[in-house]
Amino acid sequence: MTEAAWGASGLAWLTGDPGGRPDFSRAAVLQAAAQVAQRFTGATGAPADAATLLAGRAGLLGWTRAGRISAGGASRLLTAADGWWALTLSRPDDLDAVPALIESDCAEPWAVVTAWAADKPAAEVVARARLLDLPAAALGETASAPPTIRRVGPSGPGRGVRGALVVDLTSLWAGPLCGQLLAQAGATVVKVESPSRPDGTRGGPREFFDWMNGGKLSCALDFDRDAAVLSQLLGAADVVLEGSRPAALARRELGPFDIAGRPGRVWLQITAHGADGGFAGFGDDAAVAGGLVGCAAGGGPVFCGDAIADPLTGIEAAAAVVDALARGGGEVITFSLAAVAAGYAALPLHVPAGEAPVLPPPRPRIEATGPELGADNALVRELVAKAGSRC
């Protein structure tokens, strides 16, 4: 069943040598993720199909496996003198930093980075990349660890998700997926973005943005100029989802230990490398950090799925919010993409027993279009006022 499900989900389609045989070695990952999704479904009644959540973006965009190039093309697995490492160049600033990384001008970044790193230790390469705020990771550098849970503010009576006010400050995939699952479970989810730095997926394929954010309200706030308004919103929330590095809100005095919350508020942070590791990271390189990679036919690692640390963390985070609300909240929960990936990497490798069918990832059903930026500012202010009257 594990083998057949991996092949049917689209994850085998996304893992392995490009144009070659798909890889089934990580088939246990889907089974474990499905168990977490079922826990969420059982507690909320909302559907959460792990296979669709893990491979859905590639299904929407028509991606396939590319071996040591990520499905989306922005990340690469590269060799160092003593092992493997991953680098992501997805932002304009990342490309601009490559000459400083290699201490030379370059016309084609991947070729020169590959040559530059080949005779250096992976730890040295990654450390230098991180000094330049580049998303980089050495293969298997991160150990499996549960999310950290810290007490903050008063707890409240146990409650469910339905009717909860969720403030979603996240972007891209893991955090928005968590918010989407909570919205489907009956929460009112307010997506908060800065007009100067909106969610990056607004600039990409519209289908993916709609899939992650359909059904949410949109509130556009400048995190500096509108700090007082944002503070009120965070204080009124039952759940806050934060995807920035932990210091980003804290330096504005808008963090979980700065803003007094309602009794039972749950504040969930999603980071690349944990609260203490303020390094940049995305789903593909974070998965490599956790050791969650596939196996090439000729040996060596290949990317597993599509930025798989992102959807795995989104599913885990949604289940964690449900559990925290049920036990009374008053908590800050911090997830690390890399540590989540490491937990799944620790599952036994699967050895195929036969030839299972391999299907491309299906296109997920998009229930609603994502909101236009700032479309619900007035309604959000009404929600804040109403929540304040109940304090």
Side-chain angles (χ1 to χ4, degrees):
M1 177 60 185
T2 299
E3 186 172 322
W6 183 259
S9 69
L11 289 164
W13 184 273
L14 296 169
T15 308
D17 294 313
R21 292 176 63 85
D23 176 43
F24 282 79
S25 64
R26 295 297 183 179
V29 168
L30 176 58
Q31 186 174 33
Q35 292 172 352
V36 179
Q38 183 55 47
R39 194 175 94 224
F40 175 86
T41 295
T44 66
D49 177 60
T52 300
L53 297 176
L54 294 181
R57 182 173 74 165
L60 287 172
L61 304 182
W63 291 345
T64 187
R65 61 188 176 277
R68 292 181 182 129
I69 302 174
S70 64
S75 303
R76 307 259 175 130
L77 269 160
L78 306 169
T79 54
D82 57 352
W84 293 87
W85 69 293
L87 177 68
T88 299
L89 300 177
S90 60
R91 306 168 296 184
D93 287 350
D94 297 334
L95 291 168
D96 291 343
V98 170
L101 175 68
I102 64 171
E103 298 183 284
S104 175
D105 292 334
C106 66
E108 204 294 305
W110 286 116
V112 295
V113 169
T114 300
W116 168 79
D119 62 351
K120 298 175 178 61
E124 177 184 320
V125 168
V126 170
R128 179 163 177 79
R130 286 173 173 169
L131 283 174
L132 296 167
D133 201 35
L134 287 167
L139 176 60
E141 68 178 5
T142 302
S144 174
T148 61
I149 300 176
R150 292 166 288 171
R151 173 65 57 186
V152 58
S155 60
R159 59 162 298 169
V161 172
R162 183 165 297 279
L165 176 59
V166 178
V167 175
D168 182 359
L169 304 174
T170 68
S171 62
L172 302 178
W173 196 350
L177 173 56
C178 176
Q180 179 59 255
L181 292 172
L182 297 177
Q184 292 176 10
T188 298
V189 181
V190 178
K191 183 174 182 64
V192 179
E193 301 166 84
S194 168
S196 62
R197 293 191 65 183
D199 187 332
T201 58
R202 285 189 180 274
R206 182 71 194 199
E207 299 97 323
F208 180 62
F209 178 81
D210 289 343
W211 183 40
M212 288 294 100
N213 298 289
K216 299 178 184 178
L217 304 176
S218 174
C219 180
L221 294 173
D222 183 287
F223 282 27
D224 294 311
R225 188 179 63 248
D226 300 322
V229 178
L230 181 55
S231 177
Q232 290 178 332
L233 181 56
L234 297 174
D238 297 298
V239 178
V240 177
L241 307 179
E242 178 192 350
S244 56
R245 297 183 208 180
L249 288 179
R251 68 170 175 261
R252 295 180 171 91
E253 298 185 342
L254 292 171
F257 298 97
D258 302 306
I259 304 295
R262 298 168 55 78
R265 183 182 65 188
V266 175
W267 192 298
L268 185 130
Q269 299 172 324
I270 294 178
T271 70
H273 296 281
D276 298 327
F279 308 124
F282 296 99
D284 283 306
D285 53 87
V288 171
L292 184 52
V293 293
C295 302
V302 293
F303 284 105
C304 178
D306 168 29
I308 197 164
D310 272 316
L312 285 174
T313 303
I315 297 168
E316 294 271 357
V321 168
V322 171
D323 292 345
L325 287 172
R327 62 178 174 257
E331 297 172 350
V332 178
I333 305 171
T334 305
F335 275 88
S336 155
L337 295 176
V340 169
Y344 284 88
L347 297 171
L349 294 178
H350 179 76
V351 178
E355 292 290 333
V358 176
L359 302 178
R363 288 177 60 89
R365 180 178 177 181
I366 298 174
E367 301 291 344
T369 59
E372 296 304 315
L373 183 63
D376 303 295
N377 275 21
L379 176 56
V380 169
R381 290 177 186 271
E382 293 177 12
L383 288 173
V384 171
K386 185 180 296 185
S389 69
R390 292 188 281 115
C391 290

